């Protein structure tokens, strides 16, 4: 509502207004696991902690189910689990 109000006031005052909106919903899907693990090591997350992250990201699979018909299962090599506490953190470290 605040943005709409500011745009409306600028329009009424015959001023220019501009908005930039970013959709970051796919950012979690683009994280390459090997690059992320290398960056974590660069930031000092090594040894057992890095192996924990490797385990956290590895061996994940996905499939689609529509009307009781399931697709084949695919191994996930990119992305971080959405809805997790660590998802936003590791996504930010990746950027």
């Amino acid at each position: 509502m605040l943005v709409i109000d500011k745009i409306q006031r600028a329009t009424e005052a015959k001023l220019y207004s501009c908005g930039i909106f970013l959709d970051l919903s796919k950012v979690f899907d683009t994280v390459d696991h090997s690059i992320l693990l290398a960056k974590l090591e660069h930031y000092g997350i090594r040894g057992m902690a890095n192996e924990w992250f490797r385990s956290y990201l590895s061996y994940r699979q996905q499939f689609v189910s529509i009307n009781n018909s399931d697709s084949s299962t695919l191994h996930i090599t990119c992305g971080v689990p959405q809805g997790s506490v660590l998802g936003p953190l590791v996504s930010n470290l990746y950027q």
Side-chain angles (χ1 to χ4, degrees):
M1 296 301 293
L2 180 64
V3 172
I4 293 171
D5 183 55
K6 286 186 177 187
I7 292 171
Q8 187 176 16
R9 287 178 191 223
T11 303
E12 289 170 356
K14 299 190 186 297
L15 298 172
Y16 292 105
S17 61
C18 176
I20 298 174
F21 303 92
L22 301 173
D23 179 8
L24 301 176
S25 62
K26 293 293 181 189
V27 73
F28 293 103
D29 297 336
T30 62
V31 175
D32 183 276
H33 294 171
S34 59
I35 294 172
L36 173 62
L37 292 168
K39 285 189 175 196
L40 290 173
E41 187 169 333
H42 173 77
Y43 290 126
I45 300 173
R46 298 183 180 94
M48 180 82 79
N50 194 282
E51 287 301 315
W52 183 88
F53 272 103
R54 182 180 309 282
S55 173
Y56 176 70
L57 297 170
S58 298
Y59 309 112
R60 293 189 175 272
Q61 298 177 339
Q62 69 182 17
F63 70 96
V64 176
S65 180
I66 300 174
N67 296 330
N68 295 326
S69 179
D70 297 343
S71 69
S72 59
T73 304
L74 295 174
H75 184 71
I76 299 173
T77 59
C78 291
V80 294
Q82 295 181 26
S84 66
V85 174
L86 291 175
L89 174 67
V90 294
S91 180
N92 284 337
L93 288 173
Y94 183 78
Q95 303 307 319

